[in-house]
Amino acid sequence: MLLPAKAEVARQLGRYRAWERVMLASPSDRSVRATFEDSGYTLCVLMGKRCAREAAEAAERYLRSTVGAYLREQSERARSGGAARRGPPTAMRRTPAGRQSSSGAA
């Protein structure tokens, strides 16, 4: 797995956090929101995450740890299913006909 340079991660995380503060101060400003979302997208690509919040958390973990420790943590998360599962719990899934499935099979 290739990892980005820590200096670049720190720079992008700082940019994301700065735009987050500006966006929270003026949420109706479309140009501020667009720049904030762009900084989140960049962080997502850099950290290999789908959500800007996950990417920011991953960047913070990466900056706090050594490269080896971060890689071990990532592989443990993948193995243990620590990554957030997308979609409703299996008990809440619906069948193709729109009925709720009680068996967990959809």
Side-chain angles (χ1 to χ4, degrees), residues 16-17 35 75 90:
Y16 173 79
R17 292 295 186 205
T35 306
S75 67
T90 54

Side-chain angles (χ1 to χ4, degrees), residues 69-88:
Y70 180 78
L71 288 173
R72 279 191 302 277
E73 177 186 322
Q74 292 301 103
S75 67
E76 287 171 8
R77 282 175 176 256
R79 229 180 294 120
S80 68
R85 191 182 148 282
R86 304 282 180 204

Side-chain angles (χ1 to χ4, degrees), residues 10-11 15 18 25 31 43 57 64 68 77 84 86 89 99 106:
R11 188 172 77 81
R15 181 175 181 260
S31 65
L43 199 56
E57 290 171 1
R64 280 193 309 260
R77 282 175 176 256
R86 304 282 180 204
R99 295 184 197 99

Side-chain angles (χ1 to χ4, degrees), residues 9 14 26 28 34-35 41 43 49 51-52 58-59 71 78 80-81 83 88 91 93 96-98:
V9 172
S26 54
S28 61
T35 306
Y41 175 78
L43 199 56
K49 301 294 180 184
C51 165
L71 288 173
S80 68
R93 289 190 182 164

Side-chain angles (χ1 to χ4, degrees), residues 8-78:
E8 184 63 19
V9 172
R11 188 172 77 81
Q12 292 299 330
L13 180 61
R15 181 175 181 260
Y16 173 79
R17 292 295 186 205
W19 280 108
E20 181 179 41
R21 287 188 296 274
V22 174
M23 199 272 308
L24 290 172
S26 54
S28 61
D29 188 331
R30 290 181 186 207
S31 65
V32 168
R33 180 173 290 277
T35 306
F36 169 64
E37 290 174 357
D38 286 347
S39 68
Y41 175 78
T42 301
L43 199 56
C44 285
V45 171
L46 197 62
M47 299 308 298
K49 301 294 180 184
R50 291 182 175 210
C51 165
R53 183 164 293 172
E54 290 174 7
E57 290 171 1
E60 289 168 349
R61 281 193 311 273
Y62 178 55
L63 293 172
R64 280 193 309 260
S65 66
T66 65
V67 173
Y70 180 78
L71 288 173
R72 279 191 302 277
E73 177 186 322
Q74 292 301 103
S75 67
E76 287 171 8
R77 282 175 176 256

